[in-house]
Coordinates of all heavy atoms in Angstrom, one line a residue:
M64 N 129.7 99.1 118.6 CA 128.7 98.4 119.4 C 127.8 99.3 120.1 O 128.2 100.2 120.9 CB 129.4 97.5 120.4 CG 128.5 96.6 121.2 SD 129.4 95.5 122.3 CE 128.1 94.8 123.3
P65 N 126.5 99.2 119.8 CA 125.5 100.2 120.4 C 125.4 99.9 121.9 O 125.4 98.8 122.3 CB 124.2 99.9 119.6 CG 124.4 98.5 119.1 CD 125.8 98.3 118.9
I66 N 125.2 101.0 122.6 CA 125.0 100.9 124.0 C 123.5 100.8 124.3 O 122.7 101.7 123.9 CB 125.5 102.2 124.7 CG1 127.0 102.3 124.5 CG2 125.2 102.1 126.2 CD1 127.6 103.7 124.8
P67 N 123.0 99.7 124.9 CA 121.6 99.6 125.1 C 121.1 100.6 126.1 O 121.8 101.0 127.1 CB 121.5 98.2 125.7 CG 122.9 97.8 126.2 CD 123.8 98.6 125.4
M68 N 119.9 101.1 125.9 CA 119.4 102.1 126.8 C 118.8 101.4 128.0 O 118.3 100.2 127.9 CB 118.2 102.9 126.1 CG 118.7 103.7 125.0 SD 117.4 104.5 124.0 CE 116.8 105.6 125.3
P69 N 118.9 102.0 129.1 CA 118.4 101.3 130.3 C 116.8 101.3 130.3 O 116.2 102.2 129.7 CB 118.9 102.2 131.5 CG 119.1 103.5 130.9 CD 119.5 103.3 129.4
P70 N 116.2 100.4 131.0 CA 114.8 100.4 131.1 C 114.3 101.8 131.7 O 115.0 102.3 132.6 CB 114.4 99.3 132.1 CG 115.6 98.4 132.0 CD 116.8 99.2 131.7
T71 N 113.4 102.4 131.1 CA 113.0 103.7 131.4 C 111.5 103.8 131.7 O 110.7 103.2 131.0 CB 113.3 104.7 130.3 OG1 114.7 104.5 129.9 CG2 113.0 106.1 130.6
T72 N 111.1 104.5 132.8 CA 109.7 104.7 133.1 C 109.3 106.1 132.5 O 109.9 107.1 132.9 CB 109.4 104.6 134.6 OG1 109.8 103.3 135.0 CG2 107.9 104.9 134.8
L73 N 108.4 106.1 131.6 CA 107.9 107.3 131.0 C 106.6 107.6 131.8 O 105.8 106.8 132.0 CB 107.6 107.2 129.5 CG 108.8 106.7 128.7 CD1 108.3 106.4 127.3 CD2 109.8 107.8 128.6
S74 N 106.5 108.9 132.1 CA 105.2 109.3 132.8 C 104.7 110.6 132.3 O 105.6 111.5 132.0 CB 105.4 109.2 134.3 OG 106.3 110.2 134.7
C75 N 103.4 110.8 132.3 CA 102.8 112.0 131.8 C 102.5 112.9 133.1 O 101.7 112.5 133.9 CB 101.6 111.7 131.0 SG 100.7 113.2 130.5
P76 N 103.1 114.1 133.1 CA 102.8 114.9 134.3 C 101.4 115.5 134.2 O 100.9 116.1 135.2 CB 103.9 116.0 134.2 CG 104.3 116.1 132.8 CD 104.1 114.7 132.2
K77 N 100.8 115.4 133.1 CA 99.4 116.1 132.9 C 98.3 115.2 133.4 O 97.4 115.6 134.1 CB 99.3 116.4 131.4 CG 98.2 117.5 131.2 CD 98.2 117.9 129.7 CE 97.1 118.8 129.4 NZ 97.0 119.1 128.0
C78 N 98.3 113.9 132.9 CA 97.2 113.0 133.2 C 97.6 111.8 134.1 O 96.7 111.1 134.6 CB 96.5 112.5 132.0 SG 97.5 111.2 131.1
G79 N 98.9 111.7 134.4 CA 99.3 110.6 135.3 C 99.6 109.3 134.6 O 99.9 108.3 135.3
W80 N 99.5 109.2 133.3 CA 99.8 108.0 132.6 C 101.3 107.6 132.8 O 102.1 108.5 132.8 CB 99.5 108.2 131.1 CG 100.0 107.1 130.2 CD1 99.3 106.0 129.8 CD2 101.3 107.0 129.5 NE1 100.1 105.2 129.0 CE2 101.3 105.8 128.8 CE3 102.4 107.8 129.5 CZ2 102.4 105.4 128.0 CZ3 103.5 107.5 128.7 CH2 103.5 106.3 128.0
S81 N 101.6 106.4 132.9 CA 103.0 106.0 132.9 C 103.2 104.6 132.4 O 102.2 103.8 132.4 CB 103.5 106.1 134.4 OG 103.0 105.0 135.1
K82 N 104.3 104.4 131.8 CA 104.7 103.1 131.3 C 106.2 102.9 131.3 O 106.9 103.8 131.1 CB 104.2 103.0 129.8 CG 104.4 101.6 129.2 CD 103.8 101.5 127.8 CE 104.1 100.2 127.1 NZ 103.3 99.1 127.7
T83 N 106.6 101.7 131.7 CA 108.0 101.3 131.7 C 108.3 100.7 130.4 O 107.6 99.7 130.0 CB 108.3 100.4 132.8 OG1 108.0 101.1 134.1 CG2 109.8 100.1 132.8
V84 N 109.3 101.2 129.7 CA 109.7 100.6 128.4 C 111.1 100.1 128.5 O 111.9 100.6 129.2 CB 109.6 101.7 127.2 CG1 108.1 102.0 127.0 CG2 110.4 102.9 127.5
V85 N 111.4 99.1 127.7 CA 112.7 98.5 127.7 C 113.2 98.6 126.2 O 112.8 97.7 125.4 CB 112.7 97.1 128.1 CG1 114.1 96.5 128.2 CG2 112.0 97.0 129.5
P86 N 113.9 99.7 125.8 CA 114.3 99.8 124.5 C 115.2 98.6 124.1 O 116.2 98.3 124.8 CB 115.1 101.1 124.5 CG 114.6 101.8 125.7 CD 114.2 100.8 126.7
Q87 N 114.8 97.9 123.0 CA 115.6 96.8 122.6 C 116.5 97.2 121.4 O 116.0 97.8 120.5 CB 114.7 95.6 122.1 CG 113.6 95.3 123.1 CD 114.0 94.2 124.0 OE1 115.1 93.8 124.0 NE2 113.1 93.8 124.9
S88 N 117.8 96.8 121.5 CA 118.7 97.2 120.5 C 118.6 98.7 120.1 O 118.5 99.5 121.0 CB 118.6 96.3 119.3 OG 117.5 96.5 118.5
D89 N 118.6 99.0 118.9 CA 118.5 100.4 118.5 C 117.2 100.7 117.8 O 117.0 101.7 117.1 CB 119.7 100.8 117.6 CG 119.8 99.9 116.4 OD1 119.1 98.9 116.3 OD2 120.6 100.3 115.5
V90 N 116.3 99.8 117.9 CA 115.0 99.9 117.3 C 114.0 100.4 118.3 O 113.6 99.7 119.3 CB 114.5 98.6 116.7 CG1 113.1 98.8 116.0 CG2 115.5 98.1 115.7
L91 N 113.5 101.6 118.1 CA 112.5 102.2 119.0 C 111.2 102.2 118.2 O 111.0 102.9 117.2 CB 112.9 103.6 119.5 CG 114.2 103.7 120.3 CD1 114.4 105.1 120.6 CD2 114.1 102.8 121.5
L92 N 110.2 101.5 118.7 CA 108.9 101.5 118.0 C 107.9 102.4 118.8 O 107.5 102.1 119.9 CB 108.3 100.0 118.0 CG 109.1 99.0 117.1 CD1 108.5 97.6 117.4 CD2 108.9 99.4 115.7
E93 N 107.6 103.5 118.1 CA 106.7 104.4 118.7 C 105.4 103.7 119.1 O 104.8 103.0 118.2 CB 106.4 105.6 117.8 CG 105.4 106.5 118.2 CD 105.8 107.4 119.4 OE1 107.1 107.6 119.6 OE2 105.0 107.9 120.1
G94 N 104.9 103.8 120.3 CA 103.7 103.1 120.7 C 103.9 101.8 121.3 O 103.0 101.1 121.8
H95 N 105.2 101.2 121.2 CA 105.5 99.9 121.7 C 106.6 100.0 122.7 O 106.5 99.7 123.9 CB 105.8 98.9 120.6 CG 104.5 98.4 119.9 ND1 103.7 97.4 120.5 CD2 104.0 98.7 118.8 CE1 102.7 97.2 119.7 NE2 102.8 98.0 118.6
T96 N 107.8 100.3 122.1 CA 109.0 100.4 123.0 C 109.4 101.8 123.3 O 110.4 102.1 124.0 CB 110.2 99.7 122.4 OG1 110.4 100.3 121.1 CG2 109.8 98.2 122.2
W97 N 108.7 102.8 122.7 CA 109.0 104.2 123.0 C 107.8 105.0 122.8 O 106.9 104.7 122.0 CB 110.2 104.6 122.1 CG 110.8 105.9 122.6 CD1 110.7 107.1 122.1 CD2 111.5 106.1 123.8 NE1 111.3 108.0 122.9 CE2 111.8 107.4 124.0 CE3 111.9 105.2 124.9 CZ2 112.6 107.9 125.0 CZ3 112.6 105.7 125.9 CH2 113.0 107.0 126.0
F98 N 107.7 106.1 123.6 CA 106.6 107.0 123.4 C 107.2 108.4 123.4 O 108.0 108.8 124.3 CB 105.6 106.9 124.6 CG 104.8 105.6 124.6 CD1 105.4 104.5 125.2 CD2 103.6 105.5 124.0 CE1 104.7 103.3 125.2 CE2 102.9 104.3 124.0 CZ 103.5 103.2 124.6
T99 N 106.8 109.2 122.5 CA 107.2 110.6 122.5 C 106.0 111.5 122.9 O 106.3 112.6 123.3 CB 107.7 111.1 121.1 OG1 106.7 110.8 120.1 CG2 109.0 110.4 120.8
V100 N 104.8 111.0 122.8 CA 103.7 111.7 123.3 C 102.8 110.8 124.2 O 102.8 109.6 124.0 CB 102.8 112.3 122.2 CG1 103.6 113.4 121.4 CG2 102.2 111.3 121.3
C101 N 102.1 111.4 125.1 CA 101.2 110.6 125.9 C 100.1 110.0 125.1 O 99.4 110.7 124.4 CB 100.6 111.5 127.0 SG 99.4 110.6 128.0
P102 N 99.9 108.7 125.1 CA 98.8 108.0 124.4 C 97.4 108.4 124.9 O 96.4 108.2 124.2 CB 99.1 106.5 124.4 CG 99.9 106.4 125.7 CD 100.7 107.7 125.9
E103 N 97.4 108.9 126.1 CA 96.1 109.2 126.8 C 95.6 110.6 126.4 O 94.5 110.8 126.1 CB 96.2 109.0 128.3 CG 96.5 107.5 128.7 CD 95.3 106.6 128.4 OE1 94.1 107.0 128.4 OE2 95.6 105.4 128.0
C104 N 96.5 111.5 126.6 CA 96.1 112.9 126.5 C 96.9 113.7 125.4 O 96.6 114.9 125.1 CB 96.1 113.6 127.8 SG 97.8 114.0 128.4
G105 N 97.9 113.1 124.8 CA 98.6 113.7 123.8 C 99.7 114.7 124.2 O 100.4 115.4 123.4
H106 N 99.9 114.8 125.6 CA 100.9 115.7 126.1 C 102.3 115.2 125.6 O 102.6 114.1 125.6 CB 100.9 115.6 127.6 CG 101.8 116.6 128.3 ND1 101.5 118.0 128.2 CD2 102.9 116.5 129.1 CE1 102.4 118.6 128.9 NE2 103.3 117.8 129.4
S107 N 103.1 116.2 125.1 CA 104.3 115.8 124.4 C 105.6 115.9 125.3 O 106.7 115.6 124.8 CB 104.5 116.7 123.2 OG 104.6 118.0 123.5
K108 N 105.5 116.3 126.5 CA 106.7 116.4 127.3 C 106.6 115.4 128.5 O 106.1 115.7 129.6 CB 106.9 117.8 127.9 CG 107.2 118.7 126.7 CD 108.1 119.9 127.2 CE 108.6 120.7 126.0 NZ 108.3 122.1 126.1
L109 N 107.0 114.1 128.2 CA 106.9 113.1 129.2 C 108.1 113.1 130.0 O 109.2 113.3 129.6 CB 106.7 111.7 128.5 CG 105.5 111.6 127.5 CD1 105.6 110.2 126.9 CD2 104.2 111.8 128.3
D110 N 107.9 112.8 131.3 CA 109.0 112.7 132.2 C 109.6 111.3 132.0 O 108.9 110.3 131.8 CB 108.5 112.8 133.7 CG 108.1 114.2 134.0 OD1 108.5 115.1 133.3 OD2 107.3 114.3 135.0
R111 N 110.9 111.3 132.1 CA 111.6 110.0 132.0 C 112.4 109.8 133.3 O 113.1 110.7 133.8 CB 112.7 110.0 130.9 CG 112.1 110.2 129.5 CD 113.2 110.2 128.5 NE 112.8 110.8 127.3 CZ 113.6 111.1 126.3 NH1 114.9 110.8 126.4 NH2 113.2 111.6 125.2
K112 N 112.4 108.6 133.8 CA 113.3 108.2 134.9 C 113.7 106.8 134.7 O 113.0 106.0 134.1 CB 112.6 108.5 136.2 CG 111.4 107.7 136.5 CD 110.8 108.0 137.9 CE 109.6 107.2 138.1 NZ 109.0 107.5 139.4
K113 N 114.8 106.4 135.3 CA 115.3 105.1 135.3 C 114.3 104.2 136.0 O 113.9 104.5 137.1 CB 116.7 105.0 135.9 CG 117.4 103.7 135.6 CD 118.9 103.9 136.1 CE 119.7 102.6 135.8 NZ 119.2 101.5 136.6
A114 N 113.9 103.0 135.4 CA 113.0 102.1 136.0 C 113.6 101.4 137.1 O 114.8 101.1 137.1 CB 112.4 101.2 134.9
S115 N 112.8 101.0 138.1 CA 113.3 100.1 139.2 C 113.5 98.7 138.6 O 113.0 98.4 137.6 CB 112.3 100.2 140.3 OG 111.1 99.5 139.9
G116 N 114.2 97.9 139.4 CA 114.4 96.5 138.9 C 113.2 95.8 138.6 O 113.0 95.1 137.6
L117 N 112.2 95.8 139.5 CA 111.0 95.0 139.3 C 110.2 95.5 138.2 O 109.7 94.7 137.3 CB 110.1 95.0 140.6 CG 108.9 94.2 140.5 CD1 109.2 92.8 140.3 CD2 108.0 94.4 141.8
S118 N 109.9 96.8 138.1 CA 109.1 97.3 137.0 C 109.8 97.1 135.6 O 109.1 96.9 134.6 CB 108.7 98.8 137.2 OG 109.8 99.6 137.3
S119 N 111.1 97.2 135.6 CA 111.8 96.9 134.3 C 111.6 95.4 133.9 O 111.5 95.1 132.7 CB 113.2 97.3 134.3 OG 113.9 96.6 135.3
F120 N 111.7 94.6 134.9 CA 111.5 93.1 134.6 C 110.1 92.9 134.1 O 109.9 92.2 133.0 CB 111.7 92.3 135.9 CG 111.3 90.9 135.7 CD1 112.2 90.0 135.1 CD2 110.2 90.4 136.2 CE1 111.9 88.7 134.9 CE2 109.8 89.0 136.1 CZ 110.7 88.2 135.4
I121 N 109.1 93.5 134.7 CA 107.7 93.3 134.3 C 107.5 93.8 132.9 O 106.9 93.2 132.0 CB 106.7 93.9 135.3 CG1 106.7 93.2 136.6 CG2 105.3 94.0 134.7 CD1 106.0 93.8 137.7
A122 N 108.1 95.0 132.6 CA 107.9 95.7 131.3 C 108.6 94.8 130.2 O 108.0 94.7 129.1 CB 108.6 97.0 131.4
N123 N 109.7 94.2 130.6 CA 110.4 93.4 129.6 C 109.5 92.2 129.2 O 109.4 91.9 128.0 CB 111.7 92.9 130.2 CG 112.8 92.7 129.2 OD1 112.5 92.6 128.0 ND2 114.0 92.8 129.7
V124 N 108.9 91.6 130.1 CA 108.0 90.4 129.9 C 106.8 90.9 129.1 O 106.5 90.3 128.0 CB 107.6 89.7 131.2 CG1 106.5 88.7 130.9 CG2 108.8 89.1 131.9
Q125 N 106.2 91.9 129.5 CA 105.0 92.4 128.8 C 105.3 92.8 127.4 O 104.6 92.5 126.4 CB 104.4 93.7 129.5 CG 103.6 93.3 130.8 CD 103.1 94.6 131.4 OE1 103.6 95.7 131.2 NE2 102.1 94.4 132.2
Q126 N 106.4 93.5 127.2 CA 106.8 94.0 125.9 C 107.1 92.8 124.9 O 106.7 92.8 123.8 CB 108.0 94.9 126.0 CG 108.3 95.7 124.8 CD 109.4 96.7 125.2 OE1 109.1 97.7 125.8 NE2 110.6 96.5 124.7
S127 N 107.8 91.8 125.4 CA 108.1 90.7 124.6 C 106.8 90.0 124.2 O 106.7 89.6 123.0 CB 108.9 89.6 125.4 OG 110.1 90.2 125.9
F128 N 105.9 89.9 125.1 CA 104.6 89.3 124.8 C 103.8 90.1 123.7 O 103.3 89.6 122.8 CB 103.8 89.2 126.1 CG 102.5 88.4 126.0 CD1 102.7 87.0 125.7 CD2 101.3 88.9 126.1 CE1 101.5 86.2 125.6 CE2 100.2 88.1 126.0 CZ 100.3 86.7 125.8
E129 N 103.8 91.4 123.9 CA 103.1 92.3 123.0 C 103.7 92.2 121.6 O 103.0 92.1 120.6 CB 103.2 93.8 123.4 CG 102.2 94.1 124.5 CD 102.5 95.6 125.0 OE1 103.2 96.3 124.3 OE2 101.9 95.9 126.1
L130 N 105.0 92.2 121.5 CA 105.7 92.1 120.2 C 105.4 90.7 119.6 O 105.3 90.6 118.3 CB 107.2 92.4 120.3 CG 107.5 93.8 120.7 CD1 109.0 94.0 120.9 CD2 107.0 94.8 119.7
W131 N 105.4 89.7 120.4 CA 105.2 88.4 119.9 C 103.8 88.3 119.3 O 103.5 87.6 118.3 CB 105.4 87.4 121.1 CG 105.0 86.0 120.7 CD1 105.7 85.2 119.9 CD2 103.9 85.2 121.2 NE1 105.1 84.0 119.8 CE2 104.0 84.0 120.6 CE3 102.9 85.5 122.1 CZ2 103.0 83.0 120.9 CZ3 101.9 84.6 122.3 CH2 102.0 83.3 121.7
Q132 N 102.8 88.9 120.0 CA 101.4 88.8 119.5 C 101.2 89.6 118.2 O 100.4 89.4 117.4 CB 100.5 89.4 120.6 CG 100.2 88.4 121.7 CD 99.2 89.0 122.7 OE1 99.3 90.1 123.1 NE2 98.2 88.2 123.0
K133 N 102.1 90.7 118.1 CA 102.0 91.6 116.9 C 100.6 92.2 116.8 O 100.0 92.2 115.7 CB 102.4 90.9 115.7 CG 104.0 90.8 115.6 CD 104.4 90.2 114.3 CE 105.9 90.0 114.3 NZ 106.4 89.3 113.2
K134 N 100.0 92.5 117.9 CA 98.6 93.1 117.8 C 98.7 94.6 117.5 O 99.7 95.2 117.9 CB 97.9 93.0 119.1 CG 97.2 91.7 119.3 CD 96.4 91.7 120.6 CE 95.6 90.5 120.9 NZ 94.9 90.5 122.1
P135 N 97.8 95.1 116.7 CA 97.8 96.5 116.5 C 97.5 97.2 117.9 O 96.8 96.6 118.7 CB 96.6 96.8 115.5 CG 95.8 95.5 115.5 CD 96.7 94.4 115.9
N136 N 98.0 98.4 118.0 CA 98.0 99.0 119.3 C 96.6 99.6 119.6 O 96.3 100.8 119.2 CB 99.0 100.1 119.4 CG 99.2 100.6 120.8 OD1 98.9 99.9 121.8 ND2 99.8 101.8 121.0
R137 N 95.7 98.8 120.1 CA 94.3 99.3 120.4 C 93.7 100.2 119.3 O 93.5 101.4 119.6 CB 94.2 99.9 121.8 CG 93.9 98.9 122.8 CD 93.9 99.5 124.2 NE 95.3 99.9 124.6 CZ 95.6 100.5 125.7 NH1 94.7 100.9 126.6 NH2 96.9 100.8 126.0
Ligands
LIG1250 ZN1 98.8 112.3 129.5

């Protein structure tokens, strides 16, 4: 049984971009539920920290909505 990853806030130390992601099951979608590089400046060493309760809740709702819409990522 896979262990779900906790909601995580990714932030870019270079430009200040940040996003809270909620990894669902074992599927990490680059650009949706996971980022390995900053989408704003391309910096590849993003800081990770455990998301707070409220921001993880908001991220969960936003993410569900985005995936439901299945829009291409800008
Ligand atoms: Zn950045």
Side-chain angles (χ1 to χ4, degrees):
M64 183 173 171
I66 300 164
M68 293 173 70
T71 304
T72 299
L73 302 171
S74 62
C75 176
K77 198 172 173 186
C78 74
W80 171 89
S81 74
K82 185 174 175 71
T83 300
V84 294
V85 186
Q87 309 271 4
S88 70
D89 56 352
V90 181
L91 298 178
L92 293 172
E93 174 72 24
H95 283 282
T96 60
W97 196 250
F98 293 85
T99 52
V100 297
C101 173
E103 297 294 327
C104 74
H106 190 68
S107 62
K108 294 211 170 126
L109 302 177
D110 291 337
R111 298 179 199 174
K112 62 180 180 182
K113 193 171 180 295
S115 68
L117 180 61
S118 58
S119 63
F120 173 76
I121 292 170
N123 214 337
V124 173
Q125 282 181 338
Q126 194 169 286
S127 302
F128 191 65
E129 283 175 13
L130 292 176
W131 173 70
Q132 285 184 310
K133 286 183 180 172
K134 274 188 178 177
N136 195 22
R137 270 178 289 177

